[in-house]
Amino acid sequence: MGRDFNEILDLYEKGEKFYLYTGRGPSSESLHLGHLVPFMFTKYLQDAFKVPLVIQLTDDEKFLWKNLTVNESKRLARENAKDIIACGFDVEKTFMFSDFNFVGGAFYENMVKVARCVTYNKVVGIFGFSQEDHIRKISFPPVQAVPSFPSSFPHLFSGMEQLRCLIPCAIDQDPYFRMTRDVAPRIGCQKPSLTESRFFPALQGESTKMSASDPNSAIYVTDSEEEIKKVNKYAFSGGQDSAELQRELGANLEVDVPVKYLNFFLEDDDDLEQIKKGYGDGNLLTGKVKNLLGDVLSELVKRHTRARAQVTGDG
Amino acid sequence: MGRDFNEILDLYEKGEKFYLYTGRGPSSESLHLGHLVPFMFTKYLQDAFKVPLVIQLTDDEKFLWKNLTVNESKRLARENAKDIIACGFDVEKTFMFSDFNFVGGAFYENMVKVARCVTYNKVVGIFGFSQEDHIRKISFPPVQAVPSFPSSFPHLFSGMEQLRCLIPCAIDQDPYFRMTRDVAPRIGCQKPSLTESRFFPALQGESTKMSASDPNSAIYVTDSEEEIKKVNKYAFSGGQDSAELQRELGANLEVDVPVKYLNFFLEDDDDLEQIKKGYGDGNLLTGKVKNLLGDVLSELVKRHTRARAQVTGDG
């Protein structure tokens, strides 16, 4: 789903430019595939449209919600940044920043402008804060709102204050951007457009979400080849209970987690179609499909690890 | 009155250092004497103790409360800064900043730390906000709190994170610093000390306050010699209604506004004593005392105008 996604694509076809904004709350040491998916999608968009991208690392948010120290929040932001860089964004067109390092100047001005348009009752309605919540939670939403406005980045978009913004994000971030779209015209800014992804499912199936605190739910970018074999044990299968039944009835592709993952990570569309057909017909067994996925994920994690090792931490 | 004022003076005598923090909310084009008094007192403290001083211009606050544009708030801050500089602070030891220009980095980190320690209920209790107030009002107090902590200014106080801070301010700012003193130990900082001045009275008398919106209540630093004559018409007098009665009964110095002003602005203590004695005895008439005050204020305003004209606006 999205908000004004088609509109921004139409405008782009007419020659109007836009930029991309996405982000990450650095709450854990290393990412899992569910974290990586929106960034891979964002990279796809950047490659397809050749547009600038800003990536916000909300280390201040994690300081507030996770009760970390400032230094620990900033350290996690740096570590997560390496994983994000390893996704291969166009370095000429990408600006990644941590809130603790970057808030100020034009960015702070926009924060204050947005905050003046939003009452306490409004944020309570959107985010469900209580009166015992600290005032920094209540005032955090503008921090996530303002990267939607090019005027927050004068060093990138000077003189382009009406440039449109497209935000690829997970659907749980929608409340922030509903608020942002509400405020934008009141402070003379363009509403950002959104393309929202559902959560990448946990190994346990569609209705679950990869969790950094349950290692059996997720594949981490730091998992070894051995650890990736948890796919065989934990990935929810749409295949039948026995080989005989599977050959007879075939797999239910709608609920099969390995197929969902392959849908995303297998690059060759013909290979994917062949697997889905054979598996659905019953010619391919569950174990075979899980092994195929294991190979794809191992390759992905190896490629990521190599790319991450080349991130120097300078600059 | 004050909070820990004597304590900081005792510590200073034992060789501990401190710094001064004061500020101004730039809500009007030019200052009146009531605005100038705390700065003159602050200059006295800086001269006496030879200590560093930070001056915060809360242009963000005025944007929020006065419904100005960001640019207008910043312009007023610059204009007010010229009046403040004209007070003659030690330029080597004074750092003046506008929030819109300076918030960020270590300053923002401290803002976030303070805000995490203060609940919505707490700020409502201290400042009386309502649920219909915008979230920026609710989150403003940490902006005024953090100049109390040397770690907010790493370019000034690097390695001196436990340096004590003394805040000369008007008494209406006390709620901000009660909150600040409450939070300080929880984030590993020293509590600031305070010395709080009452408001400088309006011409109409002790129970009133100079108002920028009532020109007859105040002497402005931009008043002409002619305009300063409003002292004769509007200054509340403790003298008697007729010259005869005045010679017989003398003036009530306790309520006399010209005497209150002379107390502050007349530099020669002997001259001041002579005036108070003659006026109290009935030998001096009200008109004469008002004329004396007019001369002193004209001289003060002329000196200020000359000093302000030398402020270039660079640097």
Side-chain angles (χ1 to χ4, degrees):
Chain A
M1 72 167 278
R3 294 180 184 272
D4 290 350
F5 182 44
N6 288 330
E7 190 192 319
I8 210 167
L9 297 182
D10 290 347
L11 286 172
Y12 185 77
E13 286 197 350
K14 292 185 195 136
E16 277 203 40
K17 302 239 183 290
F18 68 94
Y19 75 102
L20 297 164
Y21 155 38
T22 192
R24 158 116 186 110
S27 55
S28 62
E29 194 74 32
S30 66
L31 303 190
H32 57 58
L33 291 190
H35 296 137
L36 222 51
V37 164
F39 287 108
M40 295 171 77
F41 179 55
T42 303
K43 176 177 153 53
Y44 163 80
L45 291 171
Q46 185 180 48
D47 288 348
F49 295 104
K50 316 259 180 265
V51 288
L53 163 66
V54 297
I55 304 175
Q56 178 179 43
L57 302 171
T58 53
D59 46 6
D60 54 345
E61 177 198 14
K62 293 307 161 187
F63 168 80
L64 296 167
W65 264 264
K66 296 271 171 177
N67 224 22
L68 303 172
T69 65
V70 169
N71 282 339
E72 178 66 1
S73 304
K74 289 165 85 171
R75 192 185 67 78
L76 291 178
R78 275 192 305 275
E79 289 307 307
N80 285 192
K82 293 178 192 168
D83 279 323
I84 294 168
I85 292 167
C87 291
F89 295 105
D90 180 346
V91 290
E92 298 287 316
K93 287 193 153 55
T94 302
F95 174 64
M96 180 154 51
F97 63 96
S98 112
D99 287 340
F100 274 135
N101 290 331
F102 185 68
V103 166
F107 196 95
Y108 178 66
E109 284 181 21
N110 277 343
M111 277 168 56
V112 173
K113 283 182 194 171
V114 168
R116 195 172 70 171
C117 294
V118 183
T119 64
Y120 174 80
N121 274 338
K122 186 98 184 183
V123 288
V124 167
I126 299 175
F127 300 100
F129 298 132
S130 90
Q131 305 208 350
E132 283 307 317
D133 270 323
H134 57 65
I135 56 174
R136 187 60 203 178
K137 276 195 186 177
I138 294 159
S139 60
F140 179 74
V143 180
Q144 189 159 334
V146 304
S148 309
F149 308 130
S151 56
S152 302
F153 306 100
H155 68 298
L156 299 176
F157 303 127
S158 172
M160 305 160 78
E161 282 72 18
Q162 296 304 308
L163 191 69
R164 297 291 299 260
C165 175
L166 173 65
I167 307 176
C169 66
I171 194 154
D172 64 328
Q173 302 302 301
D174 191 59
Y176 286 106
F177 300 118
R178 271 201 295 137
M179 186 197 85
T180 308
R181 286 168 54 85
D182 183 48
V183 169
R186 297 166 62 194
I187 63 171
C189 294
Q190 295 278 354
K191 289 184 184 194
S193 303
L194 297 175
T195 166
E196 299 179 328
S197 53
R198 283 170 307 168
F199 283 107
F200 202 70
L203 290 170
Q204 285 70 24
E206 182 66 74
S207 61
T208 60
K209 177 182 158 180
M210 283 191 175
S211 159
S213 54
D214 175 6
N216 292 330
S217 74
I219 308 289
Y220 296 88
V221 295
T222 47
D223 276 351
S224 66
E225 216 156 325
E226 202 52 45
E227 287 168 315
I228 288 173
K229 293 205 173 121
K230 64 186 146 192
V231 165
N232 293 312
K233 188 162 176 193
Y234 294 109
F236 185 84
S237 175
Q240 304 300 330
D241 287 345
S242 69
E244 290 68 35
L245 275 175
Q246 169 66 9
R247 287 203 189 88
E248 191 185 326
L249 302 171
N252 177 356
L253 302 186
E254 291 300 305
V255 300
D256 190 86
V257 165
V259 165
K260 285 180 195 299
Y261 282 28
L262 286 169
N263 253 325
F264 200 90
F265 294 113
L266 193 61
E267 277 171 32
D268 188 313
D269 285 346
D270 292 340
D271 283 1
L272 180 65
E273 274 319 297
Q274 256 191 313
I275 292 165
K276 284 162 86 170
K277 186 166 183 309
Y279 192 33
D281 287 350
N283 293 324
L284 266 177
L285 298 185
T286 297
K288 178 76 181 161
V289 175
K290 286 187 170 179
N291 281 337
L292 275 167
L293 175 62
D295 292 346
V296 169
L297 294 181
S298 289
E299 189 48 46
L300 175 77
V301 166
K302 254 189 264 170
R303 215 164 48 213
H304 182 85
T305 308
R306 272 197 307 272
R308 192 187 199 284
Q310 286 170 18
V311 178
T312 58
D314 307 337
Chain B
M1 72 166 279
R3 293 178 183 273
D4 290 350
F5 182 44
N6 288 330
E7 190 191 320
I8 210 167
L9 297 184
D10 290 348
L11 287 171
Y12 185 78
E13 285 195 353
K14 291 184 196 136
E16 275 204 43
K17 301 239 182 290
F18 69 94
Y19 74 102
L20 297 164
Y21 154 37
T22 193
R24 156 116 187 109
S27 55
S28 62
E29 194 75 32
S30 66
L31 304 189
H32 57 57
L33 292 190
H35 297 135
L36 223 50
V37 164
F39 287 108
M40 294 171 78
F41 179 55
T42 303
K43 175 176 154 54
Y44 163 79
L45 291 170
Q46 186 180 47
D47 289 347
F49 295 104
K50 315 262 181 263
V51 289
L53 162 66
V54 297
I55 303 174
Q56 177 178 43
L57 301 171
T58 54
D59 46 5
D60 55 345
E61 177 197 15
K62 292 308 161 185
F63 168 80
L64 296 166
W65 264 265
K66 295 271 170 176
N67 224 22
L68 303 172
T69 66
V70 169
N71 282 339
E72 179 66 1
S73 305
K74 290 166 83 171
R75 192 185 67 77
L76 291 178
R78 274 193 306 276
E79 289 307 308
N80 285 192
K82 292 178 193 169
D83 279 322
I84 294 167
I85 292 167
C87 292
F89 294 104
D90 179 347
V91 290
E92 297 288 315
K93 286 191 153 58
T94 303
F95 174 63
M96 179 154 52
F97 62 96
S98 112
D99 288 340
F100 273 136
N101 290 330
F102 185 69
V103 167
F107 196 96
Y108 178 66
E109 284 181 22
N110 277 344
M111 276 168 55
V112 173
K113 284 182 193 171
V114 168
R116 195 171 70 172
C117 294
V118 182
T119 65
Y120 174 80
N121 274 339
K122 186 100 183 182
V123 288
V124 167
I126 299 176
F127 300 100
F129 298 132
S130 91
Q131 304 206 352
E132 282 307 317
D133 270 322
H134 56 65
I135 56 175
R136 186 60 203 178
K137 276 194 187 179
I138 295 158
S139 59
F140 178 74
V143 180
Q144 189 159 333
V146 305
S148 309
F149 307 130
S151 56
S152 301
F153 306 100
H155 68 297
L156 299 176
F157 303 126
S158 172
M160 306 160 75
E161 282 71 19
Q162 296 303 310
L163 191 70
R164 297 290 299 261
C165 176
L166 172 64
I167 307 176
C169 66
I171 192 153
D172 65 328
Q173 302 301 300
D174 191 58
Y176 286 105
F177 300 117
R178 272 200 296 137
M179 187 197 86
T180 308
R181 287 167 54 87
D182 184 49
V183 169
R186 297 166 62 191
I187 63 172
C189 294
Q190 295 278 355
K191 290 184 184 194
S193 303
L194 296 176
T195 166
E196 299 179 328
S197 53
R198 283 171 306 168
F199 282 107
F200 201 71
L203 290 171
Q204 285 70 24
E206 183 65 75
S207 61
T208 61
K209 178 181 158 180
M210 283 191 176
S211 159
S213 53
D214 175 6
N216 292 331
S217 74
I219 307 291
Y220 296 90
V221 296
T222 47
D223 276 351
S224 65
E225 215 156 325
E226 201 52 44
E227 287 168 317
I228 289 175
K229 294 206 173 121
K230 64 186 148 192
V231 166
N232 293 311
K233 187 162 175 193
Y234 294 108
F236 185 83
S237 176
Q240 305 300 329
D241 287 344
S242 68
E244 288 69 37
L245 275 173
Q246 169 66 10
R247 286 203 188 87
E248 191 187 323
L249 302 170
N252 178 356
L253 301 185
E254 291 301 304
V255 299
D256 190 86
V257 166
V259 164
K260 285 178 194 300
Y261 282 29
L262 285 169
N263 254 324
F264 200 89
F265 294 112
L266 192 61
E267 279 171 30
D268 188 312
D269 286 346
D270 293 339
D271 283 0
L272 181 64
E273 274 319 298
Q274 255 191 314
I275 292 166
K276 283 163 87 169
K277 185 165 185 309
Y279 193 32
D281 287 349
N283 293 324
L284 267 177
L285 298 186
T286 297
K288 176 74 180 164
V289 174
K290 286 187 169 177
N291 280 337
L292 274 166
L293 175 63
D295 292 346
V296 168
L297 294 181
S298 288
E299 188 48 45
L300 175 78
V301 166
K302 254 188 263 171
R303 216 164 49 213
H304 182 86
T305 307
R306 272 198 305 272
R308 192 188 200 282
Q310 285 170 19
V311 178
T312 59
D314 307 338

